[in-house]
Amino acid sequence: DTGSAAATPIDPRFDIAYVTPVTIGTPPQTLQLDLDTGSSDLWVFSSHTPASQVRGQQIYSPDKSTTSKLLDGHTWSIRYGDGSGSRGNVYTDNFAIGGIMVETQAVETAEEVSSSFTTEDNIDGLVGLGFSTLNTVSPEGQLTFFDNAKPKLDAPVFTADLKYMKEGTYDFGFIDESKYTGEITYVPVDTDPGYWTFTSSGYGVGSGTFSSSPITGIADTGTSLVYLPTAIVTAYYRQVEGATNSRSYGGYVFPCNSTLPPFVFGIGEAKFTIPPSYMSYAAVTDGSPTCFGGLQSSSGIGINIWGDVALKAAFVVFNGEEPPTIGWANK
Ligand SMILES: CCCC[C@H](NC(=O)[C@H](Cc1ccccc1)NC(=O)N1CCOCC1)C(=O)N[C@@H](CC1CCCCC1)C(O)(O)C(F)(F)C(=O)NC
């Protein structure tokens, strides 16, 4: 099998996250979920989510599906890097993305979600596409959609073609040559503890010299920005007139009319350029002349994260063969 599904920005003003339509159950219930390579739980707003915590999200009602089965005695609970979280119980049911159907997918139904999920009415849940070792279901961990779908895919891969303020695509089971230019550069993935962890070959700021130094981090479709070591981040903002590291805004900000250099990162011998438009992420509040940077320091996180600001500058292949690798191509 092969399949494709849209990745649509949830906000027309800036690319904070992307959602993809999925169907769950019989008859199919359609929800818009955030495909997240940084986690491995597939959870949804549901008929079990208290009404006070639901604000416009689509919900999955297992009781309305003739193919749902409660996974008795199983629970889940997850906390994300931005402090948000959710927990609940588990069903198995039919689950499809882009026409790829998995009959007994573990679908984690939310009994509680944190306030940032309640306020984000365009996200009905997440599809974790990290490695199944990260799945939080207890007492038995469950498989991701990708792990369940892999045996029926023409090739054990999925690709991300995220776009700047535009609809992109996730493809499953094939590599669409029309979506990239030149060659795909594959590098090894460290699957411990369960992220798509790889090592970049270095970085450059604008037309400055390229610094060939290894940068190990995760490829994370569920994170909006890029988080790298402070030394790299300060080298970048040193080239931005009026940039400061703002405690109140929680990161590097600068006047929106400042000229920003592009940010270059290496994958093996290949180079990828994040254009200035992606590096000026958003005004700190609507209409403010102060903008928040798309590159921020990872010092408070503990790992480097190549999030959407970097991913949308490339066509990325998540290769689930043994051993897994990750491929990057220009587009
Ligand atoms: C600072 C380090 C990472 C923060 C990262 N969150 C983010 O990047 C959120 C995403 C978001 C989308 C929509 C609405 C609200 C928030 N954005 C965010 O913090 N910002 C603040 C800075 O400006 C850009 C937007 C994260 O936790 N990503 C999760 C998945 C998200 C969780 C919140 C809902 C959307 C998905 C992750 O799974 O990718 C993870 F790997 F980081 C993780 O925590 N794995 C366990």
Side-chain angles (χ1 to χ4, degrees):
D1 290 6
T2 64
S4 287
T8 305
I10 61 169
D11 191 312
R13 297 166 297 170
F14 37 77
D15 298 331
I16 188 168
Y18 299 83
V19 286
T20 296
V22 310
T23 56
I24 316 176
T26 313
Q29 301 176 39
T30 299
L31 276 69
Q32 304 292 330
L33 303 186
D34 184 351
L35 271 54
D36 174 24
T37 56
S39 66
S40 304
D41 282 53
L42 194 172
W43 71 266
V44 292
F45 275 78
S46 75
S47 46
H48 294 279
T49 313
S52 63
Q53 297 179 18
V54 182
R55 200 162 305 156
Q57 291 83 1
Q58 301 295 312
I59 63 167
Y60 163 60
S61 302
D63 303 349
K64 291 183 181 159
S65 168
T66 57
T67 41
S68 69
K69 281 191 200 64
L70 176 68
L71 204 53
D72 201 8
H74 288 67
T75 57
W76 61 281
S77 176
I78 194 161
R79 178 70 58 198
Y80 296 102
D82 59 21
S84 61
S86 48
R87 65 172 183 78
N89 34 48
V90 188
Y91 288 79
T92 59
D93 206 341
N94 295 353
F95 181 88
I97 305 179
I100 309 274
M101 170 66 78
V102 168
E103 271 75 36
T104 54
Q105 175 64 47
V107 178
E108 303 168 31
T109 49
E111 294 225 284
E112 181 170 32
V113 300
S114 64
S115 57
S116 67
F117 281 116
T118 298
T119 49
E120 191 46 72
D121 54 19
N122 296 309
I123 295 181
D124 304 332
L126 267 65
V127 181
L129 293 175
F131 294 90
S132 294
T133 43
L134 283 181
N135 181 265
T136 74
V137 174
S138 166
E140 290 126 10
Q142 302 300 304
L143 295 181
T144 65
F145 166 76
F146 182 50
D147 273 351
N148 282 324
K150 228 185 273 185
K152 55 171 62 174
L153 295 178
D154 288 13
V157 303
F158 66 91
T159 67
D161 180 18
L162 300 180
K163 296 188 182 214
Y164 174 65
M165 302 181 70
K166 247 184 352 206
E167 178 185 303
T169 44
Y170 285 105
D171 292 338
F172 291 88
F174 74 110
I175 293 173
D176 184 343
E177 311 230 325
S178 74
K179 288 189 174 148
Y180 64 91
T181 58
E183 299 298 311
I184 301 174
T185 301
Y186 289 91
V187 293
V189 162
D190 175 2
T191 60
D192 178 21
Y195 304 110
W196 289 86
T197 305
F198 70 97
T199 297
S200 158
S201 48
Y203 77 98
V205 178
S207 53
T209 53
F210 184 81
S211 166
S212 294
S213 56
I215 312 165
T216 297
I218 69 171
D220 185 1
T221 57
T223 287
S224 317
L225 308 183
V226 177
Y227 295 89
L228 295 177
T230 302
I232 296 176
V233 177
T234 49
Y236 178 80
Y237 288 108
R238 199 175 300 132
Q239 306 299 323
V240 178
E241 187 80 28
T244 61
N245 188 3
S246 159
R247 203 174 312 289
S248 59
Y249 289 123
Y252 283 86
V253 298
F254 44 82
C256 294
N257 57 14
S258 294
T259 306
L260 290 172
F263 181 81
V264 179
F265 62 98
I267 303 285
E269 301 296 305
K271 299 274 188 305
F272 295 84
T273 300
I274 304 177
S277 55
Y278 301 11
M279 296 300 285
S280 175
Y281 176 69
V284 291
T285 46
D286 270 1
S288 164
T290 305
C291 275
F292 197 74
L295 171 63
Q296 296 295 339
S297 171
S298 62
S299 58
I301 305 172
I303 48 169
N304 299 314
I305 303 181
W306 301 90
D308 299 334
V309 160
L311 297 169
K312 58 190 163 184
F315 174 80
V316 186
V317 181
F318 293 84
N319 171 29
E321 286 174 321
E322 213 27 71
T325 60
I326 187 166
W328 296 72
N330 277 291
K331 62 188 182 189

